[in-house]
Amino acid sequence: MRKVRVFGSARTQPDDPVFKLAEEFARHIADCGYMVITGAGPGIIEACQRGAGRERSFGVNIRLPWEQQANTIISGGPKLLSFRYFFARKLFFLKEADAVVLFPGGFGTHDEGFETLTLLQTGKTRPMPLLFLDRPRGTYWKQWQRYVEDHLLRRAMIEENDLALYKVTDNVDPAVDEITAFHRVYHGPLRPHRRARVAVALLEATSTAWPGAPAYCC
């Protein structure tokens, strides 16, 4: 079963629109046959486990002086894992992920985002969709993208085609479609030596939802 790694703030409250968005995304991507892998704490993490459900999500906890207690959705279940060190937890996430989705969050969320971008840019991980998902008309990731374009791209610290490594959206439908369309083609009937070239093309070709495609297409 393919897995989607999800990150976001552990401090997001249940009445926040982003919390509800994360819950909706997790429910729909799980309905498409994907397992959700995230932390085990509150906030966006709990929202995703609510949406995907206990049977369709893994909780990967990290022992910290704060924010380390597992939420009630995943606590006590067989899919709850606990790590002492961040590097071991990161390795598990990297090994298992077939896509990465980031909701608004703090330093940890940005760390996971830039780490994934670096691995994709340098070819040190297999190609996969990377989505930055915000609430409708939200500006969190749009302002982040503006920073990337104004300070990294404009000063030639990255290249134009590096922007194709990720997608910023404020809607669940394109996010789900991006993931499912990518893997439907990438794992289709192609010979292995052609998959790398196809994967690069897919990152651009699926950046816009296919016209007429049904929502949450699997």
Side-chain angles (χ1 to χ4, degrees), residues 3 13 25 27 44 54 84 89 92 94 96 98 101 105-106 109-110 120 122 125 128 148 160 175 189 202 205 213:
K3 305 174 186 71
Q13 298 301 309
F25 168 79
R27 181 171 59 255
I44 296 300
R54 189 183 181 97
R84 181 177 180 181
R89 184 173 182 254
F92 178 85
L94 175 64
E96 295 297 328
D98 297 291
V101 178
T109 301
H110 286 262
L120 289 171
T122 57
T125 189
M128 68 179 72
V148 170
E160 183 79 31
L202 277 171

Side-chain angles (χ1 to χ4, degrees), residues 2-182:
R2 297 189 187 109
K3 305 174 186 71
V4 178
R5 183 173 57 158
V6 183
F7 294 99
S9 176
R11 304 179 186 185
T12 303
Q13 298 301 309
D15 59 350
D16 191 308
V18 177
F19 187 101
K20 302 181 188 306
L21 182 79
E23 186 174 354
E24 180 186 1
F25 168 79
R27 181 171 59 255
H28 287 297
I29 197 66
D31 287 343
C32 286
Y34 288 75
M35 181 74 72
V36 172
I37 306 180
T38 184
I44 296 300
I45 297 165
E46 180 176 351
C48 289
Q49 287 167 340
R50 281 191 192 183
R54 189 183 181 97
E55 297 302 317
R56 302 187 295 182
S57 62
F58 273 92
V60 185
N61 202 14
I62 182 72
R63 300 172 192 171
L64 297 173
W66 62 91
E67 296 176 354
Q68 71 172 51
Q69 297 300 318
N71 62 65
T72 57
I73 307 299
I74 201 70
S75 179
K79 294 186 178 68
L80 173 62
L81 306 175
S82 183
F83 288 86
R84 181 177 180 181
Y85 299 108
F86 269 114
F87 78 87
R89 184 173 182 254
K90 283 175 172 288
L91 181 61
F92 178 85
F93 276 132
L94 175 64
K95 174 181 177 294
E96 295 297 328
D98 297 291
V100 178
V101 178
L102 303 176
F103 292 88
F107 292 148
T109 301
H110 286 262
D111 172 55
E112 296 293 346
F114 278 114
E115 180 181 60
T116 303
L117 280 169
T118 301
L119 293 172
L120 289 171
Q121 183 194 49
T122 57
K124 295 301 182 180
T125 189
R126 63 187 182 278
M128 68 179 72
L130 171 59
L131 284 300
F132 294 80
L133 183 54
D134 197 2
R135 63 180 175 82
R137 296 181 297 280
T139 61
Y140 188 91
W141 292 122
K142 290 177 182 176
Q143 291 183 1
W144 173 86
Q145 185 172 26
R146 188 176 305 159
Y147 163 80
V148 170
E149 294 172 348
D150 289 349
H151 296 278
L152 302 184
L153 180 61
R154 185 174 296 176
R155 297 175 66 180
M157 295 178 178
I158 62 173
E159 298 180 0
E160 183 79 31
N161 59 7
D162 289 328
L163 300 180
L165 295 172
Y166 67 90
K167 177 182 176 66
V168 173
T169 183
D170 61 1
N171 193 294
V172 167
D173 289 16
V176 172
D177 286 343
E178 181 93 358
I179 295 169
T180 56
F182 178 92

